[in-house]
Amino acid sequence: MTQPLLQVENLQTHFVSRWGTARAVDGVSFCVYPGETLGLVGESGCGKSVTCLSILRLVPQPAGKIVGGRVLWEGEDLLRKREAEMRRIRGRSISMILQDPMTSLNPVFAIGDQVAEGIAIHQGLKAKALWQKTAEVLGLVRIPSPQTRLREYPHQFSGGMRQRVVGAIAIACEPRLLIADEPTTSLDVTIQLQYLALLKDIQKRTGVAMIFVTHDFGIVAKICDRVAVMYAGKIVEIAPVRDLFNRPAHPYTRALLDSIPNLDEQTDRLYSIDGQPPALHSLPPGCAFAPRCSCATRRCDKEYPAEVFLNSGHMARCWEVV
């Protein structure tokens, strides 16, 4: 096994509000290897996006604060670097595709200006060379007639094309790690498949590693090598994608998989997980999933389970598997 490109250790990010301190990321640990895709899945509000923002130190302030842990990038802790050093890393070594392309793009600047900005800052290109590189990047994400579209504005692009432009900005400086935060949410099924195929093609050509945040297990099966399942700010299970689908160990993972409709079966009512995720400012002392779990015992309410390694690369936090 090669050395990890990114290693997150016991990451903790809290938000302070009138209701108390919300532990949005509560002791998260994982690693990403060169050229692999790690899926990050779970319900809304479980901490996926905040985890990704914490890696790049983009947590909204003053409410949000990274209070503990380490984020090791090529052996160096990003949480200890100065802001000027982080600006050199963002976009150049680590890039992020945000959820909503319309809010990621500035409506008053042309597409070419927005894609070219990072290239000019990190690669120092100017004038003709800069615009040639910008057109090449748009062509890489399959924007038709890129030379012409450089002068157009976000409102002149369809939703799928805007998402591709956001992707172009992220890969323009050839980063080694790409964080994609639900990049297919706003796309219809046909465009979604094309976008996923595009990301895999770019990964094959450039060798970029990816952290892919999604709710969709269908996407996980298509694009990911390993999967980390998050609930209430913690990773409750992490495994190679085949192991996770064939032998899910945590009750929450099994519940998520059971929520996927089976087109080969006729049913009167689709399966759903009872209850709601807990409020992050008042988490219970034991397992946060216990109130919704059919396998819960008294121990689950009082003690949070430790990591249990089922085999190489497969970890779950559940008293049921101890």
Side-chain angles (χ1 to χ4, degrees), residues 134-149:
T134 304
E136 288 175 9
V137 172
L138 288 180
L140 186 62
V141 296
R142 299 172 190 167
I143 296 293
S145 306
Q147 292 285 0
T148 304
R149 307 311 288 265

Side-chain angles (χ1 to χ4, degrees), residues 258 260-268 270:
D258 288 342
I260 303 172
N262 189 338
L263 300 181
D264 296 327
E265 295 180 0
Q266 290 187 351
T267 181
D268 295 328
L270 296 175

Side-chain angles (χ1 to χ4, degrees), residues 38 225-229 237-244 313-315:
L38 175 70
D225 300 303
R226 291 187 299 127
V227 190
V229 181
E237 185 167 4
I238 186 166
V241 66
R242 189 180 294 274
D243 285 356
L244 193 89
H314 192 165
M315 181 279 294

Side-chain angles (χ1 to χ4, degrees), residues 169-190:
I169 294 172
I171 66 169
C173 296
E174 300 174 5
R176 298 184 63 191
L177 175 64
L178 177 63
I179 302 172
D181 189 2
E182 299 188 37
T184 60
T185 300
S186 60
L187 307 179
D188 61 54
V189 176
T190 304

Side-chain angles (χ1 to χ4, degrees), residues 273-285:
I273 307 173
D274 293 333
Q276 297 291 330
L280 295 177
H281 61 270
S282 58
L283 292 172

